[in-house]
């Protein structure tokens, strides 16, 4: 009987301790509100290097763009959530599609739309996913590449994601980044950067996408590049 009472007491202490720890370590600061809100429509140029906007091109968009934010903070969704989807041509008949999606909250429940999930939900077959590095004039960027196919459409894709200031493409890396910010009491924001092409082979597509990314980074205002490249 005495051992049962001890067990009950210990269980109660454990439950109370868990509740207290959850309260103490619960993220309380929304990272999006500690930095200036990005105006992506303005920041991302519509013409740069050899690239010009093609207004009629519409990239595949996230299935549920409102999933970035949900109650109890609906105001942040209205003020901060942004999405830019554009098509560009290099003047030689090549088309590159760009999607940049930003959400103010990136915790375990509110996750940016990973392209492999987004495209699958849109009826595509996804294959050849792999990690790579893109070297540009200022350093190296970790990217993920994959192929999306539906009927006759063959669409190689390059993307990277940011959790707070960290470029974090993998599921495990994302969880580690969220935990790191959570232990500091911060709810990190998050971004998805996706570039894709159609009508070209896999090798030609990725070569063209790499050039597009390099040209875009050069064209961005210096003070805005951190939003695209992170600080990790």
């Amino acid at each position: 009987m005495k051992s049962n009472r001890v067990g009950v007491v210990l269980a109660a202490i454990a439950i109370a301790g868990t509740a207290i720890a959850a309260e103490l370590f619960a993220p309380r600061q929304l990272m999006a509100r500690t930095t200036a809100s990005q105006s992506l429509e303005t920041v991302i140029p519509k013409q740069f290097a050899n690239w010009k906007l093609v207004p009629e091109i519409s990239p595949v968009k996230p299935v549920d763009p409102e999933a970035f934010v949900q109650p109890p903070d609906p105001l942040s969704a209205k003020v901060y959530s942004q999405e830019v989807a554009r098509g560009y041509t290099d003047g030689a008949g090549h088309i590159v599609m760009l999607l940049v999606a930003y959400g103010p909250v990136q915790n375990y429940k509110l996750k940016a739309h990973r392209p492999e999930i987004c495209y699958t939900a849109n009826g595509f077959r996804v294959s050849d996913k792999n990690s790579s590095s893109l070297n540009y004039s200022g350093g190296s960027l970790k990217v993920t590449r994959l192929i999306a196919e539906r009927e006759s459409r063959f669409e190689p894709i390059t993307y990277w994601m940011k959790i707070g200031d960290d470029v974090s493409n993998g599921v495990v890396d994302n969880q580690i980044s969220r935990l790191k910010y959570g232990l500091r009491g911060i709810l990190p924001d998050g971004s998805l950067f996706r570039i894709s092409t159609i009508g070209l082979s896999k090798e030609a597509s990725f070569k063209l996408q790499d050039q597009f990314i390099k040209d875009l980074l050069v064209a961005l205002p210096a003070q805005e590049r951190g939003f695209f490249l992170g600080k990790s």
Side-chain angles (χ1 to χ4, degrees):
M1 181 67 70
K2 182 177 180 180
S3 62
N4 288 341
R5 287 199 298 270
V6 172
V8 171
V9 171
L10 291 177
I13 292 174
I15 293 172
T18 301
I20 292 171
E23 178 65 20
L24 287 175
F25 292 108
R28 301 177 184 280
Q29 184 179 14
L30 189 61
M31 190 173 187
R33 290 181 180 162
T34 65
T35 58
S37 174
Q38 305 288 335
S39 177
L40 295 179
E41 283 287 351
T42 302
V43 167
I44 302 173
K46 295 182 179 179
Q47 182 172 335
F48 56 94
N50 294 324
W51 302 97
K52 295 183 180 180
L53 182 70
V54 184
E56 59 269 24
I57 297 295
S58 180
V60 173
K61 294 185 179 182
V63 176
D64 180 15
E66 293 302 320
F68 281 118
V69 178
Q70 61 186 21
D73 195 10
L75 180 60
S76 60
K78 298 177 182 178
V79 176
Y80 292 98
S81 290
Q82 300 182 61
E83 182 180 288
V84 173
R86 295 177 182 170
Y88 291 85
T89 179
D90 62 357
H94 301 132
I95 299 292
V96 168
M97 293 172 287
L98 169 71
L99 175 82
V100 179
Y102 169 74
V105 178
Q106 281 291 298
N107 60 19
Y108 289 99
K109 293 182 179 180
L110 307 175
K111 301 177 181 180
H113 296 273
R114 307 183 68 82
E116 53 266 44
I117 297 174
C118 172
Y119 273 76
T120 299
N122 276 282
F124 286 81
R125 183 175 71 258
V126 173
S127 63
D128 290 350
K129 179 183 174 182
N130 66 87
S131 299
S132 184
S133 293
L134 188 155
N135 295 319
Y136 61 96
S137 59
S140 180
L141 176 65
K142 296 183 295 183
V143 299
T144 296
R145 303 193 196 273
L146 54 85
I147 304 295
E149 297 178 83
R150 186 177 65 185
E151 298 173 350
S152 62
R153 179 164 172 156
F154 179 82
E155 186 171 350
I157 298 165
T158 298
Y159 78 86
W160 70 97
M161 299 174 69
K162 269 179 59 249
I163 305 297
D165 290 327
D166 303 335
V167 173
S168 179
N169 299 333
V171 174
V172 174
D173 290 341
N174 287 356
Q175 292 175 343
I176 292 173
S177 292
R178 293 186 187 100
L179 177 61
K180 180 185 76 173
Y181 284 104
L183 291 174
R184 292 160 52 192
I186 297 173
L187 279 170
D189 55 2
S191 310
L192 166 67
F193 308 89
R194 192 189 78 207
I195 297 89
S196 63
T197 47
I198 55 176
L200 293 173
S201 68
K202 173 182 174 180
E203 293 75 16
S205 290
F206 289 139
K207 183 178 179 180
L208 186 67
Q209 291 169 23
D210 286 357
Q211 187 60 55
F212 177 87
I213 294 170
K214 294 175 183 178
D215 290 341
L216 176 60
L217 293 177
V218 170
L220 290 170
Q223 67 273 19
E224 305 292 357
R225 288 180 196 139
F227 173 75
F228 289 78
L229 297 171
K231 298 178 183 178
S232 59

